[in-house]
């Protein structure tokens, strides 16, 4: 399921709470009150070492910019994340290649970030978010740095990966055109989420 959180750029260009929402959902920040439940587990009660492991295995992040490591090729961008989880097996390498192939990057495995277009870099970031088979994908304005055509392509690919792999995703965006690809849409203003009818 892909959930869209629409942040009105004119009513609340900043300070609406989107970054805080994603940081709390991604176990990067502790909530000041209340509970954050993920698959029935209150992550607010987890120890820091457990939170690190949780972030690595249960959450995949897609940011506004791809944030690729300049000296790693496309395949190694994904394998580095796998390596953080433990030893990389041949099965891990095949899964990474499958992800990249599904995102149209099978011919780019040995390319470096400076040899890729903006859309290609963002697709690598999508694959990286899925490489640890995370249950939840958090996307923070993943189309912000892309032109319209590439933006639509990226959101369609996020949706396809979420559906094909039976995952959940939350995407925060200012671009209302991207919301048509979401199963549910919430609007955020001044830290308050409301379900759009």
């Amino acid at each position: 399921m892909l959930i869209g959180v629409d942040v009105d750029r004119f009513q609340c260009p900043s300070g609406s709470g989107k970054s805080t929402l994603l940081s709390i959902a991604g176990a990067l920040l502790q909530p000041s009150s209340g509970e954050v439940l993920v698959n029935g587990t209150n992550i607010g009660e987890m120890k820091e070492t457990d939170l690190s492991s949780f972030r690595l295995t249960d959450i995949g992040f897609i940011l506004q910019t791809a944030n690729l490591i300049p000296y790693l090729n496309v395949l190694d961008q994904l394998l580095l994340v796998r390596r953080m989880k433990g030893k990389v097996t041949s099965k891990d390498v095949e899964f990474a290649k499958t992800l990249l192939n599904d995102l149209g990057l099978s011919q780019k495995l040995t390319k470096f970030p400076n040899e890729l277009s903006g859309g290609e870099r963002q697709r690598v970031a999508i694959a990286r978010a899925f490489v640890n088979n995370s249950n939840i994908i958090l996307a923070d304005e993943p189309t912000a740095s892309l032109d319209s055509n590439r933006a639509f392509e990226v959101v369609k690919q996020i949706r396809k990966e979420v559906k094909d792999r039976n995952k959940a995703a939350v995407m925060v965006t200012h671009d209302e055109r991207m919301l048509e690809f979401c199963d549910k849409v919430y609007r955020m203003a001044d830290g308050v989420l409301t379900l759009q009818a």
Side-chain angles (χ1 to χ4, degrees):
M1 172 180 286
L2 178 57
I3 297 173
V5 178
D6 178 32
V7 182
D8 188 326
R9 77 171 68 229
F10 300 109
Q11 290 181 10
C12 47
S14 62
S16 63
K18 75 169 180 68
S19 295
T20 303
L21 170 72
L22 289 181
S23 294
I24 290 172
L28 297 170
L29 286 178
Q30 291 287 330
S32 54
S33 63
E35 295 180 325
V36 180
L37 300 174
V38 178
N39 290 333
T41 300
N42 184 354
I43 63 173
E45 295 177 349
M46 294 172 79
K47 295 177 182 173
E48 186 54 45
T49 52
D50 295 330
L51 282 173
S52 282
S53 176
F54 172 79
R55 283 189 293 267
L56 183 61
T57 59
D58 288 66
I59 306 285
F61 294 94
I62 305 170
L63 305 174
Q64 290 181 29
T65 56
N67 289 331
L68 302 181
I69 298 169
Y71 54 85
L72 292 180
N73 67 34
V74 167
L75 181 59
D76 287 340
Q77 301 283 339
L78 276 63
L79 296 181
L80 175 65
V81 176
R82 288 298 302 165
R83 196 166 289 118
M84 292 168 69
K85 195 173 174 182
K87 186 178 177 187
V88 176
T89 66
S90 58
K91 189 175 178 181
D92 295 331
V93 174
E94 286 311 308
F95 181 60
K97 287 180 179 178
T98 298
L99 279 170
L100 292 165
N101 182 60
D102 289 350
L103 290 162
L105 294 166
S106 60
Q107 303 301 312
K108 306 284 182 176
L109 300 183
T110 59
K111 299 289 183 187
F112 290 89
N114 67 334
E115 300 174 292
L116 303 173
S117 70
E120 289 169 338
R121 286 192 295 272
Q122 200 63 327
R123 283 185 274 157
V124 175
I126 293 168
R128 185 179 58 195
F130 283 92
V131 77
N132 275 342
N133 208 17
S134 302
N135 293 316
I136 302 166
I137 306 300
L138 300 176
D140 185 1
E141 295 192 54
T143 62
S145 59
L146 304 175
D147 63 46
S148 292
N149 289 337
R150 284 188 173 81
F152 279 113
E153 179 183 306
V154 161
V155 174
K156 285 178 189 173
Q157 288 168 333
I158 292 172
R159 179 183 169 90
K160 181 181 185 310
E161 290 300 313
V162 164
K163 297 283 184 188
D164 290 353
R165 300 182 188 286
N166 196 28
K167 304 299 179 184
V170 176
M171 176 180 68
V172 173
T173 184
H174 283 108
D175 191 342
E176 291 196 10
R177 298 170 303 168
M178 302 303 143
L179 299 177
E180 69 179 88
F181 302 105
C182 299
D183 299 299
K184 286 187 179 182
V185 175
Y186 289 83
R187 298 219 179 257
M188 175 175 261
D190 299 321
V192 177
L193 279 177
T194 2
L195 181 61
Q196 181 178 301

